[in-house]
Amino acid sequence: MQIHVVKSKIHRVKCTGADLNYIGSITIDQDLMDAANIIEGEKVQIVNNNNGERLETYAIPGPRNSGEITLNGAAARRVAKGDILILITYAIMELEEAKKFKPALVFPNEENNLLN
């Protein structure tokens, strides 16, 4: 049996932008992606603490040490600059592997989205 488990989470980051005219995705500071073990193109669930919205898109790297968290394309309509977001990725694995697996949990500075 295989199950879905949390692979990584970037907890409580501030949305820095919403670009409706971009193709799609979420731009995430590369330092945050590395810390959370998220790769370019990986599916990401976005939970918006301000309005309760949940959506899925894919990650693209933003400039390192920029704190950038920008929702692009249609997803830009589901957030506002300054909203507090939780970014989650999932993995599919065998039950026994999942019991031992430890997700990458990242808690950046909520004011500037940078790692402490």
Side-chain angles (χ1 to χ4, degrees):
M1 173 176 40
Q2 294 186 321
I3 63 171
H4 291 252
V5 297
V6 173
K7 177 184 149 278
S8 55
K9 179 166 89 165
I10 302 174
H11 191 72
R12 296 187 61 87
V13 287
K14 191 178 292 184
C15 178
T16 60
D19 185 356
L20 184 61
N21 296 313
Y22 192 84
I23 297 169
S25 68
I26 181 170
T27 304
I28 304 170
D29 178 323
Q30 181 71 62
D31 288 338
L32 293 175
M33 287 179 64
D34 290 348
N37 197 24
I38 297 172
I39 63 168
E40 184 172 357
E42 184 170 358
K43 183 163 84 170
V44 177
Q45 181 182 48
I46 296 112
V47 180
N48 187 329
N49 282 6
N50 290 74
N51 63 19
E53 291 277 357
R54 288 178 174 255
L55 62 126
E56 293 178 342
T57 189
Y58 61 93
I60 60 172
R64 288 188 181 280
N65 202 37
S66 66
E68 182 175 0
I69 303 290
T70 301
L71 273 291
N72 303 305
R77 294 199 181 274
R78 315 263 306 263
V79 299
K81 186 175 179 180
D83 283 357
I84 300 300
L85 310 176
I86 298 171
L87 313 179
I88 308 166
T89 64
Y90 299 90
I92 300 171
M93 58 186 72
E94 295 295 329
L95 181 60
E96 291 308 311
E97 179 184 7
K99 288 178 181 180
K100 299 173 194 159
F101 180 77
K102 300 292 182 217
L105 305 176
V106 179
F107 300 89
N109 180 314
E110 198 172 313
E111 291 304 311
N112 59 17
N113 297 337
L114 299 179
L115 298 171
N116 296 329

